[in-house]
């Protein structure tokens, strides 16, 4: 009877050990699955962040190139406007010079006309 009780007890212990081992394996499998799911979820976020970072880097490079081109074009426009402004100033200088010469020539022509007619009078400017 004792041996039978001992055998039953050992059989129950073996069953409990097997059940515990089975539960341990299931717990390990569940923990592994959970860990993999969490890592996969994090990897998706990290991968998306990486893709976004690459897009941003590309956009930054494009923007830098465009800004550089715009700066060059702006410098050209400024140079053109300065040249145009200088040309306008020169045209104004020529116009003033032409008016001055015209006034001098009129004065001389008037003086010559008076001399020619014999009516020498002081020329008024």
């Amino acid at each position: 009877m004792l041996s039978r009780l001992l055998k039953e007890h050992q059989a129950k212990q073996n069953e409990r050990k097997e059940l515990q081992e089975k539960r341990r394996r299931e717990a390990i499998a569940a923990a592994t699955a959970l860990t993999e799911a969490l890592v996969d979820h994090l990897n998706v976020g990290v991968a998306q962040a990486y893709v976004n970072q690459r897009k941003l880097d590309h956009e930054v490079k494009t923007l830098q190139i465009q800004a550089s081109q715009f700066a060059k074009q702006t410098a050209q426009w400024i140079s053109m406007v300065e040249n145009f402004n200088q040309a306008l100033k020169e045209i104004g200088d020529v116009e003033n010079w032409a008016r001055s010469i015209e006034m001098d020539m009129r004065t001389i022509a008037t003086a010559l006309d008076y001399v020619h007619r014999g009516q020498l009078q002081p020329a008024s400017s």
Side-chain angles (χ1 to χ4, degrees):
M1 172 139 173
L2 266 178
S3 74
R4 188 177 63 111
L5 284 177
L6 181 65
K7 285 182 184 182
E8 286 176 10
H9 175 70
Q10 287 176 346
K12 284 183 183 181
Q13 275 188 335
N14 285 337
E15 285 177 21
R16 284 186 200 148
K17 283 182 185 180
E18 287 176 12
L19 182 61
Q20 282 181 342
E21 184 64 27
K22 180 182 173 187
R23 287 180 182 167
R24 187 181 70 79
R25 284 191 300 262
E26 289 174 355
I28 289 173
T32 301
L34 175 65
T35 303
E36 287 176 1
L38 289 174
V39 168
D40 287 346
H41 179 71
L42 290 176
N43 283 343
V44 167
V46 169
Q48 186 62 42
Y50 178 75
V51 167
N52 290 344
Q53 182 64 39
R54 300 243 327 158
K55 286 179 183 177
L56 284 173
D57 289 344
H58 177 70
E59 291 295 324
V60 165
K61 287 178 185 177
T62 303
L63 184 61
Q64 286 174 339
I65 290 169
Q66 289 175 349
S68 174
Q69 290 173 347
F70 181 70
K72 288 178 185 176
Q73 190 175 26
T74 303
Q76 289 175 345
W77 289 345
I78 289 171
S79 176
M80 289 172 56
V81 168
E82 287 175 353
N83 290 340
F84 181 69
N85 192 26
Q86 185 61 33
L88 287 178
K89 286 180 183 178
E90 289 173 4
I91 288 172
D93 290 345
V94 168
E95 185 179 0
N96 287 337
W97 176 77
R99 284 186 188 156
S100 176
I101 294 295
E102 183 181 6
M103 290 297 285
D104 289 346
M105 295 307 271
R106 285 186 186 187
T107 303
I108 292 170
T110 303
L112 287 174
D113 189 41
Y114 285 138
V115 170
H116 180 64
R117 291 186 187 173
Q119 301 172 355
L120 190 56
Q121 295 178 359
S124 61
S125 18

